[in-house]
Amino acid sequence: VEQGLVNLINNAIKYSDAGQTVLIRAHDSVDAILIDVIDEGTGIHANEMERIFERFYRIDKARSRDLGGTGLGLSIVKHIAQAHQGTVTVKSTPGEGSTFTLRLPMG
């Protein structure tokens, strides 16, 4: 779980400009712990959303390569969530940022 959060936080920082905020928020629901990683970065277009959790998929290949990305980070997050019977989801608006939510069941 720690590695999954590290990947989400690193991506939030990587795809945000200097001076933009990255927020990590944890809260519980009736049956799960929810951890949100919220950034004010570049955001993700709707046509990219269904593929971002695939292995080796990179939205901005040039920027990812320049910053050292392999396209594995979000795939790893997805598999970590699934290993704990959880999920990872994203809400994003291009130019405004993204919110990734890691949902882990309690118990």
Side-chain angles (χ1 to χ4, degrees):
V1 173
E2 178 183 353
Q3 184 62 58
L5 289 172
V6 166
N7 288 0
L8 291 175
I9 294 165
N10 282 341
N11 278 356
I13 293 168
K14 185 186 298 187
Y15 291 100
S16 295
D17 291 328
Q20 291 181 316
T21 301
V22 173
L23 175 69
I24 297 101
R25 175 177 61 196
H27 48 102
D28 61 347
S29 68
V30 174
D31 62 348
I33 299 293
L34 301 150
I35 304 168
D36 299 323
V37 178
I38 305 162
D39 68 58
E40 299 174 339
T42 58
I44 303 164
H45 289 277
N47 62 337
E48 303 275 1
M49 293 285 233
E50 60 189 63
R51 297 201 57 207
I52 62 171
F53 294 104
E54 294 176 11
R55 289 184 315 156
F56 305 113
Y57 187 76
R58 292 187 273 177
I59 293 172
D60 184 346
K61 286 135 185 81
R63 184 169 179 172
S64 294
R65 200 175 313 110
D66 292 343
L67 297 173
T70 62
L72 289 172
L74 292 177
S75 176
I76 290 169
V77 174
K78 179 183 81 172
H79 286 93
I80 289 169
Q82 289 173 340
H84 294 280
Q85 290 76 52
T87 58
V88 60
T89 57
V90 61
K91 293 180 182 174
S92 187
T93 303
E96 294 182 20
S98 303
T99 299
F100 284 84
T101 301
L102 183 59
R103 182 187 179 282
L104 301 169
M106 288 195 265

